[in-house]
Amino acid sequence: LNQRAVEEARERQARMTKPAGSLGVLEDVSVQLAGLAGECPAPLPEPAAVAVFAADHGVHAQGVTAWPQEVTTQMVHNFLAGGAVVNAFAAQVGAEVTVVDVGVVDDLPAVPGLLPRKIARGTADMTRGPAMTRLQAEYAIEAGIEVARDLVAAGNRCLLTGDMGIANTTASAALVSAFTGRDAAEVTGRGTGVDDAVYEHKVAVVRAALEANRIDVSDPVGVLAAVGGLEHAALAGFILGAAFLRVPVVLDGVIAGAAALAAVALAPDARLACVAGHRSSEPGHSVALEHLGLRPLVDLDLRLGEGSGALLALPLVQSAARALRDVATFEAAGVTQSD
Amino acid sequence: LNQRAVEEARERQARMTKPAGSLGVLEDVSVQLAGLAGECPAPLPEPAAVAVFAADHGVHAQGVTAWPQEVTTQMVHNFLAGGAVVNAFAAQVGAEVTVVDVGVVDDLPAVPGLLPRKIARGTADMTRGPAMTRLQAEYAIEAGIEVARDLVAAGNRCLLTGDMGIANTTASAALVSAFTGRDAAEVTGRGTGVDDAVYEHKVAVVRAALEANRIDVSDPVGVLAAVGGLEHAALAGFILGAAFLRVPVVLDGVIAGAAALAAVALAPDARLACVAGHRSSEPGHSVALEHLGLRPLVDLDLRLGEGSGALLALPLVQSAARALRDVATFEAAGVTQSD
């Protein structure tokens, strides 16, 4: 962060017509945005775009979810038709939706709104070895960086993470365990909602994946390749791309949190571009946020993904920036300060 | 709430293309809005208007705050000039700001955006007897009902509470203590930020006010008159007005919470129109929310007032309603449901 802009923002927050500190966490957000942009006030984080990275997971074969794999493809069609929650929320808060196929098993049509960046037809089953080759993980990271670059080149001043991939909370749990060292049972959740028996099995599958692969956190690309998904690798790249371009990136739930752990392992400063949009009810997400040192803006028991939690946080981020830009100082407004 | 609309909304949430329950608290909000409107899906809660009720407090003479009383007037001018946080947040989320003078000590100009509804030039010092006469409290309640009615007649489909009044967290603490039975020390906070000595004194002032007046919770108007502010009484009316008209009202912080306790004491069903916008860092606010059985949507350590926390919650409320209205069902979208 640019320290001059950070100090200017802190100083301006103290002169704005409001009690010092009374905007709570949003004061910190405004300071972060100023430091990231290198100017105070920072430009408003709008327009905004959510990129929904879609991919399938070989570990689906292990029976970790009640949803059939083809739902990934069906939901991509739903996104493109405007029928999903991500579409409704994006319309409400004024964000653009872009869907990126980085690894869906099925063929997808060439239509507007869908970026074809398929690296592979899903990952391999991570309980039997690496989910991806190293090259596939690198290609996916590169695809994510390029999506960030293209969305910013198109004029966006705020990026939001989205994801779709049946079984991707299983891969997320493995990534969170790998990067934080926490046990599989502490970071595995019920995802879209599985019963006790499937949940126990899911924990065992995460543990099996971590045992079937050599995990070396000093090699984040290797960890992504071993137990990640193609959308996790792409999201890691997307976060890195936003950080390189000094554009804030609002993270969605546990999939984004797992990807952010990889991004920050690759480039620690990437954390400074991240805003935690929300806290999902997946336990691995709280572990990831704690490890990243990020405080979520929305905390309403959501567990949907798609970018829904990031979109809900967008108006909060924008309001934080707008207050820093627009609110009058005591001096300018002729308001007496407290003793 | 209309039970047919409530059931339709619950049933629709189960058929929408998302895992059951995955929108968490926002599913409950969408169901409440449908039940309140008596139709599913409910109309979107927009356009929205925030009414900032401004008034002064006789208890200011007891030295409960570091801010001089004239700041109430100065901030009203700031609101009208568009320079305050409420203006910045309202502009960001697309809400209209109306300022209502129900009891500012100073004369205020006749300008657009300011409704002149002055009941008195501030309240009396509640540590020496009632803050208002019963008639003043009734007039203020009526003024609040009329503001709600006028804003809905102008086309608004969502109302938000706002407030301005130096020393109004002191009156709020007394109201919360009166309506919930909790001790003054549990419900008194530091407001805009007072030091330890002033804080201890503030608790004593709240206790003195409750001792100087006969408190009978079966007479909510009497409680408002005894230890409330003119803006609290007006806000109670505003909440009742919204509920009568079956329009959702998003509550801001501790001042709104204290007013909502009075409104619900007068008409228990008024609670069904209320959405808790946020949880402020004032301890009395959490006590009020708990008593009301409301879960706040935003929880970011804000303690500003003005309507700022309600405005931040508005996009969340609107997104909840829009999802219920716009998201495709599994059947319509051709998406397979889980086993």
Side-chain angles (χ1 to χ4, degrees):
Chain A
L1 299 183
N2 178 306
Q3 281 311 307
R4 189 187 44 71
V6 164
E7 280 157 32
E8 264 185 60
R10 287 258 173 245
E11 189 262 349
R12 188 173 160 76
Q13 283 287 357
R15 287 190 298 126
M16 284 158 57
T17 44
K18 61 171 184 57
S22 61
L23 288 181
V25 175
L26 296 189
E27 298 195 9
D28 300 329
V29 171
S30 78
V31 170
Q32 180 188 357
L33 295 178
L36 185 65
E39 60 184 279
C40 173
L44 290 190
E46 58 187 37
V50 56
V52 184
F53 293 89
D56 279 308
H57 295 264
V59 75
H60 184 275
Q62 295 295 329
V64 288
T65 168
W67 298 80
Q69 188 168 62
E70 63 258 30
V71 170
T72 303
T73 299
Q74 292 169 347
M75 284 302 295
V76 167
H77 285 285
N78 197 21
F79 300 149
L80 297 171
V85 172
V86 67
N87 305 104
F89 284 6
Q92 188 62 44
V93 303
E96 181 197 346
V97 179
T98 298
V99 185
V100 189
D101 171 15
V102 284
V104 178
V105 163
D106 298 319
D107 287 323
L108 291 171
V111 293
L114 175 64
L115 295 181
R117 301 285 186 272
K118 202 191 293 280
I119 314 289
R121 293 183 182 271
T123 53
D125 181 349
M126 64 181 177
T127 64
R128 297 165 179 233
M132 294 173 256
T133 65
R134 189 174 187 90
L135 198 60
Q136 286 174 331
E138 287 169 347
Y139 279 156
I141 293 169
E142 183 60 27
I145 292 173
E146 286 178 5
V147 171
R149 187 195 61 196
D150 292 351
L151 288 174
V152 172
N156 291 290
R157 291 296 168 260
C158 187
L159 301 182
L160 292 81
T161 75
D163 64 88
M164 181 68 221
I166 298 300
N168 66 7
T169 61
T170 303
S172 297
L175 287 170
V176 174
S177 176
F179 282 113
T180 67
R182 299 281 281 268
D183 186 73
E186 294 177 79
V187 298
T188 303
R190 287 168 189 267
T192 49
V194 296
D195 63 24
D196 288 352
V198 176
Y199 174 71
E200 289 305 323
H201 175 61
K202 187 174 171 180
V203 174
V205 166
V206 171
R207 194 164 278 135
L210 293 164
E211 283 165 7
N213 289 278
R214 201 181 62 84
I215 302 296
D216 172 8
V217 290
S218 71
D219 172 22
V221 175
V223 176
L224 279 168
V227 297
L230 288 151
E231 76 273 51
H232 293 95
L235 282 164
F238 186 67
I239 293 164
L240 293 172
F244 292 154
L245 296 164
R246 300 193 153 270
V247 168
V249 56
V250 185
L251 306 180
D252 191 36
V254 69
I255 288 84
L261 290 171
V264 169
L266 284 162
D269 281 356
R271 182 186 161 280
L272 304 174
C274 293
V275 175
H278 87 129
R279 180 198 306 279
S280 90
S281 45
E282 283 287 294
H285 191 210
S286 290
V287 171
L289 291 174
E290 191 189 323
H291 194 87
L292 291 162
L294 297 175
R295 174 164 169 172
L297 299 183
V298 172
D299 194 351
L300 296 173
D301 302 339
L302 269 69
R303 51 182 174 80
L304 174 60
E306 298 180 5
S308 53
L311 285 162
L312 293 174
L314 179 63
L316 307 183
V317 177
Q318 291 172 332
S319 294
R322 189 183 276 256
L324 184 65
R325 192 193 69 173
D326 289 356
V327 172
T329 60
F330 285 103
E331 190 177 39
V335 175
T336 311
Q337 266 193 281
S338 66
D339 300 341
Chain B
L1 298 182
N2 179 307
Q3 280 312 306
R4 189 187 44 72
V6 163
E7 280 157 32
E8 263 185 60
R10 287 260 173 241
E11 188 261 349
R12 188 172 160 75
Q13 283 287 357
R15 287 190 298 125
M16 284 157 57
T17 43
K18 60 172 183 57
S22 61
L23 288 181
V25 175
L26 296 189
E27 297 195 9
D28 300 331
V29 171
S30 78
V31 170
Q32 179 188 357
L33 295 178
L36 184 66
E39 60 184 281
C40 174
L44 291 190
E46 59 186 39
V50 57
V52 184
F53 292 90
D56 279 308
H57 296 265
V59 76
H60 184 276
Q62 295 296 327
V64 288
T65 168
W67 298 80
Q69 188 167 62
E70 63 258 33
V71 170
T72 303
T73 299
Q74 291 169 347
M75 284 302 294
V76 167
H77 286 286
N78 197 19
F79 299 150
L80 296 172
V85 172
V86 67
N87 305 102
F89 284 6
Q92 188 62 44
V93 304
E96 181 197 346
V97 179
T98 298
V99 185
V100 189
D101 172 14
V102 286
V104 178
V105 164
D106 299 318
D107 286 325
L108 291 170
V111 292
L114 175 64
L115 295 180
R117 302 285 186 273
K118 202 191 291 282
I119 313 291
R121 292 184 183 272
T123 53
D125 181 349
M126 65 180 177
T127 64
R128 296 162 180 237
M132 295 174 256
T133 66
R134 188 175 189 89
L135 200 59
Q136 286 174 332
E138 286 169 348
Y139 279 154
I141 292 168
E142 183 60 28
I145 293 173
E146 286 178 5
V147 171
R149 187 196 59 197
D150 292 351
L151 288 174
V152 172
N156 291 292
R157 291 295 167 263
C158 187
L159 301 182
L160 291 80
T161 75
D163 64 87
M164 181 67 222
I166 298 300
N168 67 5
T169 61
T170 304
S172 298
L175 287 170
V176 174
S177 176
F179 283 114
T180 67
R182 299 280 282 269
D183 186 72
E186 294 177 80
V187 298
T188 304
R190 287 169 189 266
T192 48
V194 296
D195 63 23
D196 288 353
V198 178
Y199 174 71
E200 289 303 324
H201 175 60
K202 187 173 172 181
V203 173
V205 166
V206 171
R207 195 165 278 134
L210 292 165
E211 282 164 7
N213 289 279
R214 200 180 65 82
I215 302 295
D216 172 7
V217 289
S218 71
D219 173 22
V221 175
V223 176
L224 279 168
V227 296
L230 287 151
E231 76 273 51
H232 293 95
L235 282 164
F238 187 68
I239 293 164
L240 292 171
F244 292 154
L245 296 164
R246 299 194 153 269
V247 168
V249 55
V250 184
L251 307 180
D252 191 35
V254 70
I255 287 87
L261 290 171
V264 168
L266 285 163
D269 280 357
R271 181 186 161 280
L272 305 174
C274 294
V275 175
H278 87 129
R279 181 197 305 277
S280 89
S281 46
E282 282 288 293
H285 191 210
S286 289
V287 171
L289 291 174
E290 191 189 324
H291 195 86
L292 291 163
L294 297 175
R295 174 164 169 172
L297 299 184
V298 171
D299 194 351
L300 295 174
D301 301 339
L302 269 70
R303 50 182 174 80
L304 174 60
E306 299 181 5
S308 54
L311 285 162
L312 293 174
L314 179 62
L316 307 184
V317 177
Q318 292 172 332
S319 294
R322 189 183 276 255
L324 185 66
R325 191 192 70 172
D326 289 355
V327 172
T329 59
F330 285 103
E331 192 177 37
V335 176
T336 310
Q337 268 194 277
S338 67
D339 298 342

